[in-house]
Amino acid sequence: MLRVNTKFDRPDPALVERLSAYSSATIHEAQGRLGALSSTIKPVDDAMSLCGPAFTVRCAPRDNIMLQVAIAHAQPGDVVVVSAGEYAEAGSFGDVLANACVAKGLGGLITDTGVRDTRELRELGFPVFSFSVSIKGTVKETVGPMAEPVLIGGEIVRPGDVVRGDADGVVVVRREDVGEVVRKSQERVDAEAGYIAAYRAGKSVIEVSDLAAVLEAKGLVIDD
């Protein structure tokens, strides 16, 4: 018998909403270039975007029984995060399960295996980020852990950590760090706005980024 406890702490929804205003790349840079999932995990559609607490589940390759259990137990706003061993040749999630997720008010799905029915997923608008697209069906045989830390895309994701996904990729933020990462993300956005204003005012990228001394130290000489 495998006993599963689905109770875990989630961050303040207001903080999650504030974090969603920043791109995955901004968040990744703001938290010290940490938390980026592998670039192999991509949105089914570039317009898809998600941000929410992770509801984690581990599935056997080519088996989606625990994914269905996770969908049944996740709470509104949760993003189901599936670790399945980077198995590309399986369509473990499609439009039928996506409609189940929408009916429950879930925030999205991130998986390191395959999905299918991508046209229908795009039309539905439910955010799906996957390792692959595959029409091959799955079995429903192997039970496994849920609401425990999982390895996906080279990162450990714990239940309740916040995952932010957009056209550029997915980043994970530790649930206890969300407030600090929001602050640092805004600082980065403000700094970048200053860079852009300086470029438009006629300054060069070397001036704005203060690269002259660095380039001199590295022995770069440019003859104009």
Side-chain angles (χ1 to χ4, degrees):
M1 181 175 67
L2 175 66
R3 186 177 297 276
V4 175
N5 184 355
T6 62
K7 295 180 180 178
F8 56 86
D9 293 331
R10 294 168 174 81
D12 183 347
L15 281 177
V16 176
E17 179 66 24
R18 289 173 61 190
L19 188 70
S20 71
Y22 305 104
S23 70
S24 60
T26 293
I27 293 168
H28 169 61
E29 294 284 353
Q31 64 178 358
R33 297 185 175 177
L34 299 175
L37 271 61
S38 169
S39 60
T40 57
I41 297 177
K42 301 180 182 299
V44 169
D45 189 290
D46 283 350
M48 290 179 173
S49 176
L50 58 75
C51 188
F55 190 98
T56 57
V57 62
R58 192 157 72 237
C59 294
R62 208 174 63 82
D63 190 324
N64 78 345
I65 189 170
M66 289 307 299
L67 169 56
Q68 298 203 37
V69 175
I71 292 169
H73 289 274
Q75 296 184 11
D78 285 351
V79 175
V80 179
V81 176
V82 184
S83 175
E86 295 188 348
Y87 188 83
E89 297 301 321
S92 64
F93 182 90
D95 66 322
V96 174
L97 288 181
N99 274 278
C101 292
V102 170
K104 287 204 64 178
L106 302 187
L109 174 100
I110 301 170
T111 179
D112 67 354
T113 187
V115 300
R116 62 186 183 183
D117 306 325
T118 55
R119 179 176 62 82
E120 290 85 353
L121 293 177
R122 293 185 186 100
E123 291 173 353
L124 186 62
F126 182 71
V128 175
F129 290 67
S130 70
F131 179 62
S132 68
V133 174
S134 174
I135 62 173
K136 297 178 181 179
T138 56
V139 299
K140 296 167 181 63
E141 296 288 346
T142 308
V143 297
M146 185 169 62
E148 294 183 2
V150 297
L151 176 65
I152 178 171
E155 291 287 330
I156 298 294
V157 178
R158 307 172 306 174
D161 287 345
V162 177
V163 283
R164 172 72 173 107
D166 57 22
D168 291 334
V170 181
V171 64
V172 57
V173 178
R174 302 301 171 213
R175 58 178 177 262
E176 64 271 20
D177 296 336
V178 174
E180 180 71 3
V181 173
V182 166
R183 181 184 65 80
K184 290 181 176 180
S185 294
Q186 186 58 52
E187 288 176 353
R188 183 171 180 83
V189 167
D190 293 342
E192 290 180 344
Y195 300 154
I196 293 170
Y199 299 150
R200 291 175 175 173
K203 289 189 175 182
S204 74
V205 293
I206 291 176
E207 290 177 290
V208 172
S209 298
D210 198 22
L211 292 177
V214 174
L215 296 173
E216 182 180 359
K218 292 182 179 295
L220 178 68
V221 177
I222 300 175
D223 295 323
D224 290 326

